[in-house]
Amino acid sequence: MSVPRLRSPLGLARATVVLLGLVALADLLAIGAGFGVYRVADDLARGSGAFGAGLTGRAHHADTLYTASGVVQTAMWLVCAVVFLVWLYRVRVNAEVFRPDGHSKARAWVIAGWVVPLANFWYPRRVVLDVWDASGPAGARPRHALINFWWALWLVTSQVGWLMQRAYGSAHTAADFREAALEVMISDAVDIVAAGLAVLVVLRLTRMQHQKALAGPMLVPALG
């Protein structure tokens, strides 16, 4: 393992925040598209829509928009995930300078913790908590409420959202599509809140490291 040295996370933090905002925007667009699917499915389930070419056209249009919004969501999520992990790796290395003995997981888990089954339920949170504690003011008692809320919502939106998408893909009746679309919209709404909390985590942790580095050479060298 290379010797850790301080490097500024400010640029990566800004990029991560922008991408998290775009993820939230993609979720918002998906909610709008999902509402279109919900309305068409509800008309079909209730038998209140105008049957024929008009309803078929509405259904096709709603499904096309919904599929397109899903593609945008996936693309935004993948790009954001890459930049977020690069930022997280940067602040983890910085945290090793601040507190070399304050990390319960090896540096490789910064990335692997998100993809290894079962470990991905708690390892990423542990990594972030260790970085958070190492980056805080010396002697201060760190509070973890923000990280805990963010992580809880992340687990909900990642695990439940995946199940809801599967339910939508396996729907057969109009009532099935209506219920699945509603559940996916709720999951997307939770994801927007989770993205907002992730923004707060990124900004707070980056600010903590920047302030600690600028505290003076008696503690750590300034970020370069």
Side-chain angles (χ1 to χ4, degrees):
M1 181 184 296
S2 60
V3 177
R5 66 185 183 89
L6 288 177
R7 296 181 63 191
S8 175
L10 294 177
L12 286 169
R14 294 188 189 103
T16 303
V17 167
V18 169
L19 288 169
L20 284 167
L22 292 176
V23 166
L25 180 59
D27 288 335
L28 189 60
L29 294 174
I31 290 174
F35 185 67
V37 172
Y38 177 87
R39 290 184 62 186
V40 172
D42 188 56
D43 284 346
L44 284 170
R46 293 174 180 271
S48 59
F51 290 92
L55 186 57
T56 301
R58 283 179 57 204
H60 177 73
H61 180 68
D63 185 65
T64 300
L65 286 179
Y66 192 74
T67 301
S69 69
V71 172
V72 173
Q73 274 186 303
T74 301
M76 286 288 88
W77 187 89
L78 289 174
V79 174
C80 184
V82 171
V83 177
F84 177 86
L85 288 178
V86 174
W87 167 82
L88 183 58
Y89 193 86
R90 174 73 57 84
V91 294
R92 162 57 190 261
V93 174
N94 286 344
E96 291 176 15
V97 178
F98 297 142
R99 189 176 173 186
D101 60 346
H103 304 277
S104 60
K105 306 301 176 188
R107 194 187 295 179
W109 286 109
V110 174
I111 309 298
W114 296 85
V115 296
V116 174
L118 298 182
N120 58 4
F121 282 96
W122 68 86
Y123 272 40
R125 173 183 172 274
R126 184 69 260 169
V127 169
V128 174
L129 286 177
D130 289 343
V131 174
W132 186 276
D133 292 348
S135 304
R141 185 182 181 88
R143 296 181 178 181
H144 299 151
L146 176 59
I147 296 175
N148 290 335
F149 282 133
W150 160 66
W151 186 247
L153 288 184
W154 162 253
L155 288 179
V156 169
T157 191
S158 60
Q159 302 302 318
V160 176
W162 177 75
L163 291 175
M164 295 304 98
Q165 289 289 352
R166 288 195 63 184
Y168 182 86
S170 61
H172 295 292
T173 68
D176 290 342
F177 278 106
R178 180 183 59 192
E179 297 305 315
L182 178 60
E183 291 168 351
V184 173
M185 283 190 288
I186 294 173
S187 176
D188 287 337
V190 173
D191 194 55
I192 291 174
V193 179
L197 291 177
V199 166
L200 295 179
V201 170
V202 171
L203 292 176
R204 179 87 177 273
L205 185 47
T206 300
R207 183 171 65 250
M208 288 165 60
Q209 290 204 344
H210 188 65
Q211 291 175 344
K212 189 160 187 172
L214 295 179
M218 293 182 63
L219 293 176
V220 294
L223 290 172

